[in-house]
Amino acid sequence: MTIKPSLDRRIQTLFPVALACLLVLGTSRLVLDSLKSNQSSIFRVYGRQEGDEHKKPVFVLPEDRFEKGCDVFEGQWVWDNVSRPLYTEESCPYLVKQTTCQRNGRPDSFYQDWRWQPHACKLPRFDPLKLLDVLRGKRLMFIGDSVQRGQFESMVCMVQSVIPDGKKSFHRIPPMKIFKAEEYNASIEYYWAPFIVESISDHAINHTVLKRLVNLDSIAKHGKSWEGVDVLVFESYVWWMYKPLINATHGSTDDIQEYNVTTAYKLALETWAKWLESNINSIKQKVFFMSMSPTHLWSWEWRPGSDENCFNESYPIEGPYWGTGSNLQIMKIVDDILRESKINVTFLNITQLSEYRKDGHTTIYGERKGKLLTKEQRSDPKKFADCIHWCLPGVPDAWNEILYAYLLQNHQNFM
Ligand SMILES: *[C@@H]1O[C@H](CO)[C@@H](O)[C@H](O)[C@H]1NC(C)=O
Ligand SMILES: *[C@@H]1O[C@H](CO)[C@@H](O)[C@H](O)[C@H]1NC(C)=O
Ligand SMILES: *[C@@H]1O[C@H](CO)[C@@H](O)[C@H](O)[C@H]1NC(C)=O
Ligand SMILES: *[C@@H]1O[C@H](CO)[C@@H](O)[C@H](O)[C@H]1NC(C)=O
Ligand SMILES: *[C@@H]1O[C@H](CO)[C@@H](O)[C@H](O)[C@H]1NC(C)=O
Ligand SMILES: *[C@@H]1O[C@H](CO)[C@@H](O)[C@H](O)[C@H]1NC(C)=O
Ligand SMILES: *[C@@H]1O[C@H](CO)[C@@H](O)[C@H](O)[C@H]1NC(C)=O
Ligand SMILES: *[C@@H]1O[C@H](CO)[C@@H](O)[C@H](O)[C@H]1NC(C)=O
Ligand SMILES: *[C@@H]1O[C@H](CO)[C@@H](O)[C@H](O)[C@H]1NC(C)=O
């Protein structure tokens, strides 16, 4: 879509303001999490018990696989209040306040009832037991920022209900969160790394939000925690998009320079791709990269003439739509890097399908600086609505259904 230059300039100035407010929110979330965390709890290595009931191997059936070559990212949202949502706020004890929009007072709940339907094929029906079987003895890790944390929480909620109490655990060990299904010796984990590479925003508890400094060629510290993980799901976007330029180092850490964001992003992903090449065993490990999660900060983009944001939006956008917040230069960079990479990385291009979901954001029913919005703040949605993060259950569940479909697609049955 083409944008008039005047509009473009307006966007450039607004995006940073909105992001700055919201990312602070992300920070405080982690502060809270760390307070709740039990530092003394250490990872346990779970042994398979004698008489384990869950020994039988999973059989991925033909109907669990989508047709080869089908573009599952092209499709439409269909109303399905029978099979959706896949879980509820009440049924999932691990949801943080930031995402529980109903509990926080959101009056409408239609956003929970849409199912993503590809045009050319069917996604397999999500079966938590099947996913746990695929993940048996494995670790699935989501790596990225607070949007990625939402996807992690969604995934945990999608599977946890089939595991009885006492057979599952959830630990907050900053910068990680770890959910374990003990009888499966399977874990679903989250690792905070908003830029993927190292930065001064990496400390899960005490990090700057307004001041950014990215070490474009440093990744080893993070990488230590990713080694040997069976399924890695990366994401990084919104933290880069604060200003057109970003302070960064490449080479000497004393040599701080302002980089064009697109240049910096490319250098960072090159560092990441190199890490993959020297650390990933393609036979044992799978790597995914999530495309950018769209924002809905400017209502004039889908409703010309209006001057608001995603607040009070109850229905998805119908028909073609692509917001200017989703930068196609960045998209192209990811594409180039993945094409050149010697490691197979599956790119889950969820941007377009999420673009339609102007109704899915937390708006004023989320948190700000670790607290629910005050009455005064709620009365000023133009200033305080969060149009970056998503309510749960909601849009990230569809991303996970797609991730699930890919995991099954590649799964080989063993007799
Ligand atoms: C923290 O862990 C210790 C040792 O594992 C345990 O005794 C204690 O009850 C835990 N505290 C909380 C709040 O979970
Ligand atoms: C449990 O899983 C971990 C990695 O996810 C693995 O290292 C360990 O060997 C597994 N334990 C058993 C008993 O299968
Ligand atoms: C589901 O949606 C239909 C309309 O599309 C409505 O008539 C029905 O009451 C809804 N069912 C529930 C359980 O909300
Ligand atoms: C937070 O980080 C800043 C800068 O690195 C440091 O000066 C400050 O002491 C830290 N605060 C805490 C509570 O660790
Ligand atoms: C880079 O850092 C300098 C010094 O702290 C600061 O003046 C400048 O505004 C920063 N640039 C960006 C793009 O944030
Ligand atoms: C950053 O680089 C891209 C690609 O080279 C260019 O299109 C864009 O105009 C540059 N932006 C700035 C602010 O220099
Ligand atoms: C929300 O939108 C509806 C129309 O869709 C309108 O009647 C209502 O006044 C709006 N509410 C607020 C708080 O803007
Ligand atoms: C992702 O999807 C969008 C919309 O369909 C498309 O424009 C873009 O090129 C795709 N990105 C890649 C890397 O394939
Ligand atoms: C990457 O994927 C392609 C297509 O699925 C496959 O042919 C190739 O063997 C894979 N390469 C590696 C290194 O796994």
Side-chain angles (χ1 to χ4, degrees):
M1 97 185 250
T2 52
I3 310 295
K4 281 186 237 90
S6 62
L7 205 60
D8 214 11
R9 224 171 296 130
R10 196 170 173 191
I11 285 162
Q12 282 227 327
T13 54
L14 272 176
F15 204 29
V17 176
L19 288 182
C21 312
L22 290 165
L23 294 171
V24 173
L25 180 153
T27 321
S28 331
R29 180 70 259 152
L30 275 156
V31 175
L32 276 189
D33 291 343
S34 73
L35 289 176
K36 280 187 259 173
S37 88
N38 189 341
Q39 298 288 354
S40 63
S41 52
I42 306 164
F43 299 70
R44 273 212 287 151
V45 176
Y46 300 104
R48 191 83 66 83
Q49 315 265 300
E50 287 296 315
D52 189 337
E53 298 142 33
H54 298 286
K55 262 183 192 148
K56 63 178 191 308
V58 62
F59 281 100
V60 175
L61 305 171
E63 63 260 34
D64 292 324
R65 303 189 200 265
F66 57 85
E67 273 171 58
K68 261 210 162 65
C70 169
D71 181 353
V72 299
F73 306 104
E74 212 170 287
Q76 62 182 345
W77 290 97
V78 296
W79 177 254
D80 181 356
N81 61 358
V82 177
S83 73
R84 295 297 181 282
L86 293 167
Y87 56 92
T88 63
E89 288 182 6
E90 292 73 33
S91 71
C92 186
Y94 308 114
L95 284 176
V96 296
K97 258 195 301 185
Q98 188 181 350
T99 59
T100 52
C101 297
Q102 292 299 304
R103 200 174 298 154
N104 300 343
R106 183 165 171 167
D108 63 307
S109 62
F110 302 136
Y111 67 88
Q112 300 185 341
D113 296 336
W114 298 93
R115 178 167 50 79
W116 179 249
Q117 174 63 64
H119 286 317
C121 57
K122 266 179 85 169
L123 287 173
R125 195 180 62 82
F126 182 79
D127 180 345
L129 289 170
K130 210 161 261 186
L131 180 60
L132 283 166
D133 255 340
V134 168
L135 293 179
R136 187 187 293 280
K138 294 198 165 84
R139 297 169 68 195
L140 161 63
M141 189 188 284
F142 292 91
I143 296 151
D145 58 24
S146 52
V147 172
Q148 187 76 337
R149 190 169 63 231
Q151 187 179 353
F152 155 77
E153 275 170 12
S154 154
M155 190 56 121
V156 170
C157 290
M158 282 164 73
V159 303
Q160 69 85 26
S161 64
V162 297
I163 307 166
D165 289 340
K167 306 276 188 198
K168 55 190 171 191
S169 67
F170 193 97
H171 292 288
R172 297 172 179 86
I173 306 164
M176 296 185 67
K177 291 186 169 193
I178 298 158
F179 172 79
K180 280 196 179 232
E182 304 189 6
E183 287 185 325
Y184 292 85
N185 187 30
S187 67
I188 301 174
E189 313 179 16
Y190 168 70
Y191 187 99
W192 167 260
F195 293 99
I196 296 182
V197 293
E198 286 158 25
S199 76
I200 57 167
S201 312
D202 287 343
H203 196 289
I205 299 150
N206 179 17
H207 64 241
T208 66
V209 173
L210 295 177
K211 214 174 146 211
R212 283 152 210 231
L213 177 59
V214 187
N215 305 118
L216 300 172
D217 55 353
S218 307
I219 199 166
K221 250 185 267 167
H222 292 168
K224 277 262 166 294
S225 302
W226 309 339
E227 275 169 18
V229 174
D230 303 274
V231 184
L232 291 150
V233 186
F234 290 92
E235 177 269 355
S236 178
Y237 177 61
V238 79
W239 277 71
W240 295 91
M241 305 309 286
Y242 178 48
K243 292 177 182 170
L245 298 175
I246 191 161
N247 276 320
T249 63
H250 194 271
S252 166
T253 47
D254 297 327
D255 183 16
I256 301 171
Q257 287 183 27
E258 287 188 332
Y259 284 74
N260 181 334
V261 160
T262 51
T263 310
Y265 193 91
K266 181 159 188 282
L267 290 168
L269 282 202
E270 280 169 1
T271 300
W272 168 74
K274 253 188 244 147
W275 182 86
L276 293 181
E277 276 170 28
S278 42
N279 288 278
I280 294 293
N281 175 347
S282 283
I283 295 163
K284 291 197 180 127
Q285 294 164 285
K286 290 193 171 60
V287 185
F288 291 87
F289 195 95
M290 303 303 298
S291 67
M292 60 194 68
S293 165
T295 57
H296 293 87
L297 302 166
W298 311 289
S299 67
W300 65 78
E301 292 199 300
W302 61 85
R303 197 181 313 109
S306 63
D307 187 18
E308 286 160 72
N309 54 38
C310 69
F311 172 68
N312 200 26
E313 292 289 354
S314 298
Y315 297 97
I317 296 169
E318 282 179 45
Y321 177 76
W322 187 274
T324 47
S326 299
N327 187 311
L328 285 168
Q329 281 184 338
I330 297 279
M331 183 70 96
K332 172 84 168 43
I333 290 168
V334 177
D335 194 30
D336 291 345
I337 299 275
L338 297 191
R339 267 175 215 285
E340 287 160 19
S341 168
K342 293 191 190 76
I343 302 294
N344 276 345
V345 178
T346 307
F347 184 61
L348 300 185
N349 195 348
I350 52 80
T351 307
Q352 177 65 82
L353 69 92
S354 313
E355 285 284 358
Y356 301 127
R357 298 302 306 276
K358 63 176 167 54
D359 59 317
H361 294 285
T362 54
T363 70
I364 57 170
Y365 308 106
E367 288 180 326
R368 191 181 175 83
K369 301 190 181 175
K371 289 202 184 88
L372 294 177
L373 265 59
T374 62
K375 218 170 161 188
E376 287 71 39
Q377 289 171 332
R378 285 193 178 184
S379 66
D380 189 4
K382 233 173 132 165
K383 187 162 168 203
F384 290 101
D386 178 342
C387 298
I388 295 176
H389 297 98
W390 304 93
C391 299
L392 291 179
V395 174
D397 304 340
W399 306 344
N400 282 326
E401 286 185 81
I402 291 172
L403 175 59
Y404 169 77
Y406 273 90
L407 289 173
L408 260 53
Q409 197 80 348
N410 296 323
H411 184 78
Q412 289 184 7
N413 293 321
F414 292 105
M415 300 303 274

